[in-house]
Amino acid sequence: MAAAAGVSISTASKALNDTGRMGAETRERVKRIAAEIGFRPNALARGLLSKRSFTIGLLTNDTYGRFTLPVMAGISEALVDHGVSVFLCAIEDDPALAQIHVDAMLDKQVDGIIATGKRLDRRLPVDLSNLHVPVVYAFTEGAPDSVTFRSDDAHGAKLAAEWLAKLGRRRLVHITGPEDFFSVRERANAFREAAGSERPVMFGVWSESWGHDAVARLWSAGGERPDGIFCGNDQIARGVIDALRERGIKVPQDVSVVGFDNWEIVAAQTRPPLTTVDMELRELGRQAGLTVLALAEGRPVEPGIRKLPCRLVVRQTCGGDALGI
């Protein structure tokens, strides 16, 4: 390849790796010819020269992938232009399996590890606090003095309550998951701050059946019935909508409904399609990827928790076409 470009091997290497001093025309010529002849630098040699593997480990106990897949998509998006690959290991909730995978990552000499999971207030079942590679946490509880990325659940709940109020809904109810989840408590508190401290919050489980049962309780209790329902996830919201339909109550004409997660497989297929809060997990992954890369390259990064704002995706259960807010 160097001979085809009319330069030395050393110059060709520097041009392809964007190092060294040379004219812009020479660097571009080397890259153009490399692309034309399909030349690919040897990854092992590149790693030996830089003392990096150009691989990041991603460790998760979210084996279903509900939260991990969009996080991973964001990580890959952030790192692909830097020539860095992602090595995914699913660990269930098994400490022994987790340690095996961490050891495997270290044996492969990953440049860093991103830990992610299925809830914000639980750590993965393995200690990552004293590794010799940088560790960044995304959508899981981090170690002390770590860098942790999480969605701002309070912001998401506020977006939902304020949107319902903007539509003229005043009798709001929040139907959500188990109260022992940190995110559930944070959303419930933010909902009450935005909608009024007297507005009811119903805690239950993460399922369509709970949404269905919650509506049955509300309509059988008599008294004031809601005209706006904010649900703790999209599955609960779908159960709510089914239960309302069974009672001849129209969504969104009679009752507006907002979910949480923007799980496309649920939200877009709900009838009518569901207005919901997107936690921006892809962006969360992108930020985590860029941060672990910075740490791997020795750049300073302040520890702490970074909260990323949510986004409201408006669909027909609030009377609108799909759009983001």
Side-chain angles (χ1 to χ4, degrees):
M1 198 284 294
V7 298
S8 67
I9 293 175
S10 174
T11 298
S13 177
K14 291 174 182 177
L16 293 173
N17 289 294
D18 288 318
T19 60
R21 299 179 63 182
M22 68 187 69
E25 188 275 333
T26 299
R27 193 182 301 276
E28 290 304 315
R29 185 174 78 255
V30 171
K31 290 183 176 181
R32 175 174 50 78
I33 292 174
E36 288 173 355
I37 67 176
F39 175 79
R40 295 177 59 85
N42 183 279
L44 179 59
R46 180 180 173 220
L48 290 171
L49 286 170
S50 64
K51 297 182 180 179
R52 289 179 53 197
S53 67
F54 294 91
T55 303
I56 295 296
L58 178 60
L59 197 68
T60 182
N61 65 346
D62 174 27
T63 51
Y64 189 67
R66 166 65 194 93
F67 304 106
T68 294
L69 290 178
V71 169
M72 184 175 179
I75 294 168
S76 299
E77 181 182 285
L79 298 182
V80 65
D81 290 338
H82 299 274
V84 178
S85 301
V86 181
F87 174 35
L88 171 65
C89 288
I91 62 172
E92 304 285 343
D93 283 308
D94 185 337
L97 180 61
Q99 191 60 58
I100 288 170
H101 281 311
V102 171
D103 291 342
M105 289 179 176
L106 298 178
D107 287 343
K108 291 180 180 294
Q109 298 183 319
V110 294
D111 295 330
I113 293 174
I114 297 174
T116 188
K118 50 193 175 184
R119 56 188 289 184
L120 297 173
D121 53 353
R122 291 287 186 274
R123 292 189 187 181
L124 298 188
V126 63
D127 185 6
L128 304 174
S129 58
N130 294 306
L131 302 184
H132 65 271
V133 299
V135 178
V136 170
Y137 298 84
F139 205 78
T140 192
E141 184 179 355
D145 299 322
S146 64
V147 180
T148 302
F149 289 89
R150 48 158 296 193
S151 53
D152 189 340
D153 284 274
H155 175 251
K158 182 180 178 183
L159 286 176
E162 289 181 345
W163 181 255
L164 288 168
K166 183 179 178 180
L167 295 175
R169 304 304 187 179
R170 296 292 178 265
R171 303 185 304 277
L172 304 186
V173 172
H174 182 31
I175 303 173
T176 189
E179 193 172 4
D180 64 341
F181 276 62
F182 170 80
S183 59
V184 168
R185 297 192 302 274
E186 192 166 61
R187 293 173 198 172
N189 290 337
F191 166 78
R192 283 183 170 134
E193 286 180 10
S197 58
E198 77 287 354
R199 301 317 306 165
V201 175
M202 302 174 68
F203 299 102
V205 295
W206 302 116
S207 70
E208 289 186 37
S209 61
W210 163 233
H212 194 280
D213 292 346
V215 168
R217 293 185 194 183
L218 287 167
W219 260 256
S220 65
E224 180 184 82
R225 290 172 177 172
D227 60 2
I229 301 176
F230 168 42
C231 301
N233 75 356
D234 294 342
Q235 290 166 284
I236 293 172
R238 189 149 74 173
V240 164
I241 292 168
D242 287 346
L244 293 172
R245 183 184 301 111
E246 290 171 8
R247 286 164 174 77
I249 299 161
K250 296 179 181 179
V251 176
Q253 293 90 335
D254 302 325
V255 179
S256 295
V257 179
V258 179
F260 206 105
D261 289 347
N262 194 29
W263 190 5
E264 290 278 351
I265 196 171
V266 175
Q269 298 304 315
T270 299
R271 290 294 173 262
L274 178 64
T275 295
T276 182
V277 176
D278 192 309
M279 292 186 289
E280 297 283 45
L281 294 178
R282 192 180 187 110
E283 176 61 18
L284 188 148
R286 195 182 74 84
Q287 293 289 342
L290 292 174
T291 300
V292 80
L293 180 64
L295 290 168
E297 293 174 347
R299 287 180 272 152
V301 177
E302 283 292 318
I305 296 175
R306 276 96 158 142
K307 292 184 182 181
L308 272 66
C310 295
R311 176 173 57 95
L312 187 68
V313 180
V314 178
R315 297 189 181 94
Q316 282 72 31
T317 58
C318 277
D321 296 324
L323 58 97
I325 295 178

